[in-house]
Amino acid sequence: MHAVRSIFLLHKPAMMRNDHTDDLRNILGLHLPTDPRWVDLAGKSMEEILTDHAYCEQKAASSCISLILRYPHMERLVEELAPIVTEEWGHFRQVLAELGKRGLRLGRQRKDAYVNKLLDFEKKGGTEQERLLDRLLICALIEARSCERFKRLSEGLDDAYMRDFYRRFMESEAGHYTLFITLAEHCFDKEKVRARWQEWLRFEAELMRSMDLRGDRVH
Ligand SMILES: [Fe+2]
Ligand SMILES: [Fe+2]
């Protein structure tokens, strides 16, 4: 938990580091904290949230597999992402088990407006190598926002068991966020990574602002 908190603080702008008034502000660098009403809506739609969450985990595993298949020559990327595939698939299975415990089934996959809009912002064209930076940053961003939402659930749900359930996901996704940023900095000039990351953060905040607040979606 301490490590996760350190990550949050590390990515706060320097001017925010001593500000304890709102721990969720600028969490993981995100420009816009989740509307506090979201957690209440989500708490009332746990079946929907769990199904949506399961597919988020499936997509996270699939994205790592896809990166490995596109960049098999990049030793560090392959080595670091191979175990994340297992971890994300483990997350999928945990969510599936949680649905099962409640006598619920995995629903159908839904259109993921958040991820689709992020994909629109990815730089198109160029070589596979040129596209890698955005591919890593989009993964980092989805991990960061998921982590922030799981933090909300881990603090705001009425059910203590579910608060703990989501706290563990929060910690795991915080680690993945760090890994994607570290990989980006390993593969590209740090200044270039920082500049593009800021563009992603700005875009994501606008996107969040423009989207309806839905209790049946993780994002
Ligand atoms: Fe995950
Ligand atoms: Fe993750």
Side-chain angles (χ1 to χ4, degrees):
M1 187 63 194
H2 181 70
V4 174
R5 191 179 163 80
S6 305
I7 291 165
F8 293 157
L9 294 174
L10 185 67
H11 292 277
K12 277 185 174 185
M15 58 182 283
M16 292 291 300
R17 278 188 197 142
N18 292 323
D19 180 0
H20 299 296
T21 54
D22 186 352
D23 220 19
L24 282 165
R25 274 182 79 192
N26 291 317
I27 199 169
L28 301 162
L30 296 171
H31 286 192
L32 188 73
T34 287
D35 186 321
R37 290 172 299 172
W38 175 77
V39 72
D40 295 328
L41 297 172
K44 290 183 187 112
S45 337
M46 255 312 131
E47 178 176 359
E48 298 292 317
I49 281 288
L50 284 168
T51 283
D52 194 53
H53 179 184
Y55 286 111
C56 290
E57 300 296 355
Q58 170 266 315
K59 278 178 275 191
S62 300
S63 300
C64 290
I65 292 173
S66 153
L67 281 167
I68 291 169
L69 296 179
R70 282 177 197 275
Y71 304 97
H73 57 288
M74 301 189 71
E75 206 175 333
R76 181 162 170 191
L77 179 145
V78 173
E79 270 178 21
E80 302 252 24
L81 294 186
I84 307 299
V85 174
T86 315
E87 207 177 311
E88 300 290 23
W89 196 248
H91 287 173
F92 174 81
R93 293 182 63 193
Q94 282 174 46
V95 181
L96 206 56
E98 194 51 44
L99 279 163
K101 264 197 245 171
R102 294 159 180 254
L104 302 170
R105 293 212 181 115
L106 178 68
R108 292 181 74 85
Q109 186 168 9
R110 299 82 185 274
K111 191 168 162 261
D112 192 333
Y114 174 74
V115 169
N116 288 341
K117 287 270 168 47
L118 288 180
L119 288 170
D120 286 346
F121 189 66
E122 252 192 344
K123 285 214 167 76
K124 306 294 183 294
T127 62
E128 286 289 305
Q129 207 56 34
E130 284 162 351
R131 296 184 67 175
L132 176 60
L133 177 58
D134 269 4
R135 286 185 174 135
L136 292 171
L137 293 183
I138 197 171
C139 289
L141 195 51
I142 296 168
E143 295 286 357
R145 181 57 75 184
S146 304
C147 175
E148 192 251 4
R149 292 264 159 131
F150 294 153
K151 187 172 195 293
R152 285 277 181 194
L153 295 172
S154 75
E155 292 171 345
L157 288 175
D158 290 334
D159 181 342
Y161 169 81
M162 289 310 284
R163 286 201 300 275
D164 188 56
F165 181 78
Y166 277 110
R167 186 184 52 76
R168 283 179 279 129
F169 283 102
M170 172 196 82
E171 290 174 2
S172 186
E173 312 310 356
H176 298 164
Y177 154 79
T178 307
L179 173 63
F180 282 113
I181 295 285
T182 306
L183 272 178
E185 289 180 342
H186 171 74
C187 301
F188 298 91
D189 174 69
K190 281 190 181 174
E191 279 309 309
K192 183 181 171 149
V193 174
R194 225 164 276 158
R196 184 61 177 153
W197 179 239
Q198 288 307 315
E199 290 175 4
W200 272 106
L201 289 173
R202 280 195 291 275
F203 176 78
E204 201 262 358
E206 280 311 309
L207 172 58
M208 289 302 290
R209 207 168 272 128
S210 72
M211 288 179 72
D212 294 334
L213 193 65
R214 293 184 62 160
D216 58 347
R217 294 285 195 275
V218 172
H219 304 110

